[in-house]
Amino acid sequence: MTDETAQISEDFADDVIQGLSRPHKRLSPKYFYDDAGSRLFEAVCRTREYYPTRTELALLRTAAAEIAAYIPDGAALVEFGSGASLKTRLLLDAAPQLAAYVPVDISPDALERATASLRSDYPALLLSPLVGDFSSPLSLPADIHGCPPIGFFPGSTIGNFTPDEAVAFLGRARTLLGSNAQFLVGADLVKDEATLVAAYDDAAGVTAAFNRNVLARINRELGGDFDLDSFAHRAVWNAEAQRMEMWLISTREQTVHVLGKPFHFAQGEGLHTENSHKFTPASFTELAGRAGWRVVRTWISPEPQFALFLLTASD
Ligand code: AVJ
């Protein structure tokens, strides 16, 4: 085990014990994505009901030329998350004036994979990965000095944060990217409840398996004894907070053990596993504004609506 993976499993253990010890039990959605979970997420994206990924990709495709017109010569694309996906390539293809690509991630392995896959296809592009997670102050790599930065945060991952966390994230990105930066953020929009609930509770049960996988991961990595069949998947729209919530509901009274510690579940008791905030152009503009960003352009897909917001550092 590397120091990095040892640290991650220690954080995982602490977070799980803490989350299960609360009067309202919860787990962080960041732990969904082990190898099995990442594969399950990809399967979720292929379900008919889960529209965000394919909708954002189609929107990027139609907006790419217009987005490229905002990108200056010699700019650096700074992507938050390991990236180098189809979405990244769409931007790189549409904006050949991009001189550098800087993926930012806590995992050196993910960064290595991301840059390796681009190296042969974009030989002229400077690849400059940045290891970091924002909990400590970051600065852009020295070799992109002088390249105007454009941040990229696709996938509506921003929706997993609480509004205050989202503002903190956007503020740290603003500090990292600097005062002449732009930032392209993909975010899912508020829409009718039926479409939202179906997207998080597909008929084939792929999202249910994705949700339950976090219990399987606890069993695998933390010596847990969760009985996956005793937890029902629930997806609910919280209208007041404008977010989709995923829950696992204990279908019987039971005691589960993790790292030797017992955790009691009443019948019907919920374990909250994810918030996925949805936005309106107005609510997103307000959030970005609190972090020092101004919305300069918004692209919205046909229904089910998904948005790309182009932000500029506003001073
Ligand atoms: C990857 C965080 C954008 O919140 O829609 C998919 C994760 N959860 N189905 C989302 C997810 C349930 C997804 N994000």
Side-chain angles (χ1 to χ4, degrees):
M1 198 185 272
T2 63
D3 286 357
E4 181 207 351
T5 46
Q7 185 56 49
I8 289 169
S9 57
E10 215 172 281
D11 292 350
F12 181 41
D14 290 350
D15 281 3
V16 168
I17 298 297
Q18 270 205 31
L20 295 179
S21 302
R22 299 169 66 93
H24 298 282
K25 295 182 176 65
R26 70 177 190 202
L27 294 172
S28 167
K30 70 182 177 199
Y31 297 118
F32 282 138
Y33 304 93
D34 64 349
D35 285 344
S38 299
R39 273 196 301 276
L40 281 164
F41 177 64
E42 282 166 23
V44 165
C45 293
R46 290 191 296 268
T47 64
R48 186 181 53 76
E49 294 93 335
Y50 190 75
Y51 63 84
T53 307
R54 73 175 68 94
T55 304
E56 182 181 41
L57 200 56
L59 179 60
L60 261 176
R61 218 170 247 128
T62 48
E66 290 175 2
I67 294 166
Y70 288 91
I71 302 178
D73 271 352
L77 183 66
V78 181
E79 181 165 0
F80 297 92
S82 44
S85 64
L86 217 47
K87 296 171 197 168
T88 313
R89 287 165 179 268
L90 268 171
L91 285 184
L92 293 173
D93 291 344
Q97 71 272 33
L98 281 166
Y101 175 63
V102 183
V104 184
D105 202 281
I106 46 165
S107 159
D109 286 352
L111 287 172
E112 177 48 38
R113 280 195 297 275
T115 49
S117 87
L118 293 177
R119 198 160 280 130
S120 53
D121 294 337
Y122 301 89
L125 193 67
L126 172 65
L127 299 174
S128 192
L130 178 60
V131 181
D133 73 344
F134 269 167
S135 55
S136 51
L138 280 181
S139 46
L140 288 174
D143 53 4
I144 66 151
H145 189 81
C147 300
I150 173 161
F152 185 39
F153 192 45
S156 204
T157 308
I158 195 160
N160 273 173
F161 297 138
T162 66
D164 284 347
E165 288 167 352
V167 169
F169 167 80
L170 290 167
R172 287 188 295 258
R174 164 84 179 62
T175 303
L176 174 69
L177 296 171
S179 53
N180 65 340
Q182 303 180 89
F183 197 5
L184 184 67
V185 182
D188 196 16
L189 298 182
V190 173
K191 55 184 57 64
D192 67 280
E193 182 169 352
T195 300
L196 286 169
V197 170
Y200 291 80
D201 193 9
D202 62 282
V206 183
T207 306
F210 171 69
N211 195 10
R212 284 194 193 93
N213 175 63
V214 74
L215 304 184
R217 181 177 181 184
I218 293 171
N219 289 351
R220 284 192 291 269
E221 295 182 25
L222 304 178
D225 62 359
F226 277 101
D227 171 21
L228 271 56
D229 294 333
S230 302
F231 286 86
H233 169 71
R234 284 283 173 281
V236 291
W237 170 242
N238 180 332
E240 200 192 339
Q242 301 213 307
R243 68 190 191 207
M244 280 302 303
E245 298 177 357
M246 291 209 306
W247 292 78
L248 290 164
I249 310 292
S250 177
T251 56
R252 57 180 172 90
E253 188 185 350
Q254 56 185 319
T255 298
V256 174
H257 302 84
V258 178
L259 292 168
K261 288 191 170 52
F263 297 97
H264 179 262
F265 284 84
Q267 178 170 5
E269 183 175 346
L271 168 58
H272 188 181
T273 53
E274 183 179 55
N275 289 320
S276 201
H277 288 82
K278 306 301 171 182
F279 303 91
T280 62
S283 72
F284 190 88
T285 300
E286 191 265 339
L287 203 72
R290 282 168 58 197
W293 292 101
R294 187 164 57 80
V295 177
V296 288
R297 182 78 190 264
T298 304
W299 292 270
I300 297 178
S301 73
E303 291 184 359
Q305 290 188 332
F306 190 99
L308 287 164
F309 295 97
L310 183 66
L311 313 177
T312 187
S314 62
D315 54 70

